[in-house]
């Protein structure tokens, strides 16, 4: 693969810039789809076998590109959506290069990585590079909201795959990811009894006070030593100061390192539901992304990746990460999954989001090496 030749990173950055300057908030299916159109056209021209699954529920399409060959494929998946709204480029985060850093909305999470996956597969097709196994590339529209519509296509593609590679952003020191916490999401709705805050206070039952107790109870479920965290946000409640609030509620984020802890914590949070003394508490939700646990098969993939990294002149440490990704779905199915193979940088979901753009070529070379040689 010619990705490490002189000027390769510059050329990759030129094309990646077009992706970054094409804003793709998860909530705008049309915007996501028009970037997908560009990818589809190139992959089709290069000889890829294309399947495009129409979007639903307001999200964009899912694009699947397969390379020729038989047997269990190697799958590589990236999301095209970002957390950034339209106007971010024109406002606080224009695309810009300052020395070794290239800035822009979504460049690190994960346009650089998805671009690396796309570029690798396109070049393998164009140059008819032999690979030990066929490759299945997925480009998805809704990862930043938990992959509600792409989860099933991701799981369908992963079923029977030899391995799954996820070029989500690299961690500190360029680390790839061999384990991730599982993620749970809940919504809590509380109904109380409204009353005049002055005239008949005693007849009221404050949903806001009940919510305050719930928030403290959930916060207390955090156990850092066990790797369990909870976060309550956002909260809602009440109408005006002189009305005892009849409604309140909140959302909850839960992170756990194992399936067993996920089940236990899910049960504990759902058990907060109930009705007493005029207050009714409803809890909905559950584990959304299962934990992605390190296995010997994952370490074998990692060792292969670290070997390529060494050939290309850099170290590839590993990391266990708190944040979830689509790799959680495939790892939980038992398919060896290696994540965090995207570009180095920092600032995912933050205004200083950037990549270290000179790493595009060597990181992409490792991804290509894996795609070509996993047997
Ligand atoms: Zn991401």
């Amino acid at each position: 693969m010619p990705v490490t030749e002189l000027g390769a990173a510059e050329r990759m950055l030129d094309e990646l810039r077009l992706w970054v300057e094409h804003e793709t908030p998860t909530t705008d299916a049309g915007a996501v789809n028009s970037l997908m159109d560009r990818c589809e056209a190139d992959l089709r021209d290069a000889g890829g076998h294309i399947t495009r699954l129409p979007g639903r529920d307001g999200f964009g399409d899912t694009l699947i590109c397969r390379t020729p060959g038989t047997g269990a494929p190697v799958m590589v998946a990236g999301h095209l959506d970002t957390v950034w709204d339209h106007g971010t480029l024109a406002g606080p985060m224009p695309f810009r290069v300052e020395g070794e850093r290239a800035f822009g909305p979504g460049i690190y999470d994960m346009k650089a990585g998805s671009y690396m996956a796309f570029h690798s597969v396109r070049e393998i097709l164009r140059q008819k590079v032999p690979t030990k196994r066929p490759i299945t590339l997925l480009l998805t529209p809704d990862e930043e909201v938990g992959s509600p519509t792409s989860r099933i296509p991701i799981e369908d593609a992963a079923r029977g795959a030899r391995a799954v590679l996820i070029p989500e952003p690299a961690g500190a020191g360029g680390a790839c990811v061999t384990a991730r916490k599982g993620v749970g999401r809940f919504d809590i709705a509380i109904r109380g009894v409204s009353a005049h805050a002055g005239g008949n206070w005693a007849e009221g039952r404050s949903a806001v006070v009940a919510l305050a107790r719930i928030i403290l109870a959930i916060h207390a479920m955090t156990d850092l030593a066990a790797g369990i965290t909870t976060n309550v946000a956002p909260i809602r409640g009440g109408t005006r100061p002189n009305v005892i609030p009849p409604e309140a509620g909140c959302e909850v984020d839960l992170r756990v390192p194992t399936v067993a802890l996920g089940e236990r914590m899910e049960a504990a949070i759902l058990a907060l539901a109930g009705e007493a003394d005029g207050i009714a508490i409803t809890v909905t939700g559950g584990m959304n992304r299962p934990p992605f646990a390190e296995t010997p098969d994952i370490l074998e993939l990692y060792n292969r990746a670290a070997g390529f990294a060494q050939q290309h002149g850099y170290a590839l440490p590993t990391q266990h990460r708190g944040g979830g990704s689509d790799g959680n779905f495939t790892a939980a199915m038992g398919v060896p999954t290696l994540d965090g193979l995207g570009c180095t940088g920092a600032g995912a979901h933050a205004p200083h989001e950037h990549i270290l753009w000179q790493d595009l070529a060597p990181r992409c070379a490792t991804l290509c090496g894996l795609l070509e040689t996993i047997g």
Side-chain angles (χ1 to χ4, degrees), residues 79 109-110 143-144 168-169:
H79 61 88
D109 184 9
M110 64 176 283
E143 194 275 344
E144 293 293 2
E168 282 276 358

PDB file of all heavy atoms in Angstrom, residues 79 109-110 143-144 168-169, ligand 1:
ATOM      1  N   HIS A  79     -18.468   5.717  11.872  1.00  0.00           N
ATOM      2  CA  HIS A  79     -19.681   6.546  11.758  1.00  0.00           C
ATOM      3  C   HIS A  79     -19.358   7.869  11.071  1.00  0.00           C
ATOM      4  O   HIS A  79     -18.265   8.435  11.263  1.00  0.00           O
ATOM      5  CB  HIS A  79     -20.350   6.768  13.116  1.00  0.00           C
ATOM      6  CG  HIS A  79     -19.535   7.471  14.165  1.00  0.00           C
ATOM      7  ND1 HIS A  79     -19.520   8.843  14.291  1.00  0.00           N
ATOM      8  CD2 HIS A  79     -18.730   7.003  15.153  1.00  0.00           C
ATOM      9  CE1 HIS A  79     -18.739   9.178  15.322  1.00  0.00           C
ATOM     10  NE2 HIS A  79     -18.243   8.084  15.858  1.00  0.00           N
ATOM     11  N   ASP A 109     -13.306  12.614  16.189  1.00  0.00           N
ATOM     12  CA  ASP A 109     -14.369  11.642  16.477  1.00  0.00           C
ATOM     13  C   ASP A 109     -15.481  11.797  15.460  1.00  0.00           C
ATOM     14  O   ASP A 109     -16.396  12.573  15.660  1.00  0.00           O
ATOM     15  CB  ASP A 109     -14.898  11.844  17.887  1.00  0.00           C
ATOM     16  CG  ASP A 109     -15.932  10.797  18.253  1.00  0.00           C
ATOM     17  OD1 ASP A 109     -16.113   9.842  17.487  1.00  0.00           O
ATOM     18  OD2 ASP A 109     -16.571  10.946  19.297  1.00  0.00           O
ATOM     19  N   MET A 110     -15.437  10.965  14.382  1.00  0.00           N
ATOM     20  CA  MET A 110     -14.323  10.166  13.980  1.00  0.00           C
ATOM     21  C   MET A 110     -14.132  10.245  12.482  1.00  0.00           C
ATOM     22  O   MET A 110     -13.941   9.255  11.805  1.00  0.00           O
ATOM     23  CB  MET A 110     -14.510   8.702  14.437  1.00  0.00           C
ATOM     24  CG  MET A 110     -15.698   7.999  13.781  1.00  0.00           C
ATOM     25  SD  MET A 110     -15.851   6.233  14.220  1.00  0.00           S
ATOM     26  CE  MET A 110     -14.612   5.403  13.245  1.00  0.00           C
ATOM     27  N   GLU A 143     -24.112   6.896  15.321  1.00  0.00           N
ATOM     28  CA  GLU A 143     -23.376   6.377  16.489  1.00  0.00           C
ATOM     29  C   GLU A 143     -23.440   7.335  17.658  1.00  0.00           C
ATOM     30  O   GLU A 143     -23.474   6.922  18.825  1.00  0.00           O
ATOM     31  CB  GLU A 143     -21.917   6.118  16.104  1.00  0.00           C
ATOM     32  CG  GLU A 143     -21.136   5.277  17.117  1.00  0.00           C
ATOM     33  CD  GLU A 143     -20.531   6.063  18.279  1.00  0.00           C
ATOM     34  OE1 GLU A 143     -20.427   7.305  18.196  1.00  0.00           O
ATOM     35  OE2 GLU A 143     -20.163   5.439  19.285  1.00  0.00           O
ATOM     36  N   GLU A 144     -23.428   8.629  17.368  1.00  0.00           N
ATOM     37  CA  GLU A 144     -23.346   9.608  18.459  1.00  0.00           C
ATOM     38  C   GLU A 144     -24.604   9.666  19.318  1.00  0.00           C
ATOM     39  O   GLU A 144     -24.596  10.290  20.379  1.00  0.00           O
ATOM     40  CB  GLU A 144     -22.998  11.001  17.905  1.00  0.00           C
ATOM     41  CG  GLU A 144     -21.585  11.091  17.314  1.00  0.00           C
ATOM     42  CD  GLU A 144     -20.465  10.953  18.347  1.00  0.00           C
ATOM     43  OE1 GLU A 144     -20.753  10.753  19.543  1.00  0.00           O
ATOM     44  OE2 GLU A 144     -19.300  11.036  17.949  1.00  0.00           O
ATOM     45  N   GLU A 168     -12.246   4.252  15.692  1.00  0.00           N
ATOM     46  CA  GLU A 168     -12.587   5.383  16.557  1.00  0.00           C
ATOM     47  C   GLU A 168     -11.270   6.046  16.955  1.00  0.00           C
ATOM     48  O   GLU A 168     -10.190   5.478  16.787  1.00  0.00           O
ATOM     49  CB  GLU A 168     -13.348   4.873  17.796  1.00  0.00           C
ATOM     50  CG  GLU A 168     -14.822   4.541  17.549  1.00  0.00           C
ATOM     51  CD  GLU A 168     -15.768   5.737  17.622  1.00  0.00           C
ATOM     52  OE1 GLU A 168     -15.306   6.867  17.904  1.00  0.00           O
ATOM     53  OE2 GLU A 168     -16.972   5.539  17.382  1.00  0.00           O
ATOM     54  N   PRO A 169     -11.331   7.276  17.502  1.00  0.00           N
ATOM     55  CA  PRO A 169     -10.101   8.008  17.799  1.00  0.00           C
ATOM     56  C   PRO A 169      -9.135   7.225  18.683  1.00  0.00           C
ATOM     57  O   PRO A 169      -9.553   6.517  19.604  1.00  0.00           O
ATOM     58  CB  PRO A 169     -10.584   9.240  18.552  1.00  0.00           C
ATOM     59  CG  PRO A 169     -12.036   9.347  18.298  1.00  0.00           C
ATOM     60  CD  PRO A 169     -12.529   8.022  17.842  1.00  0.00           C
TER      61      PRO A 169
HETATM   62 ZN1  LIG B   1     -17.075   8.198  17.621  1.00  0.00          ZN
END
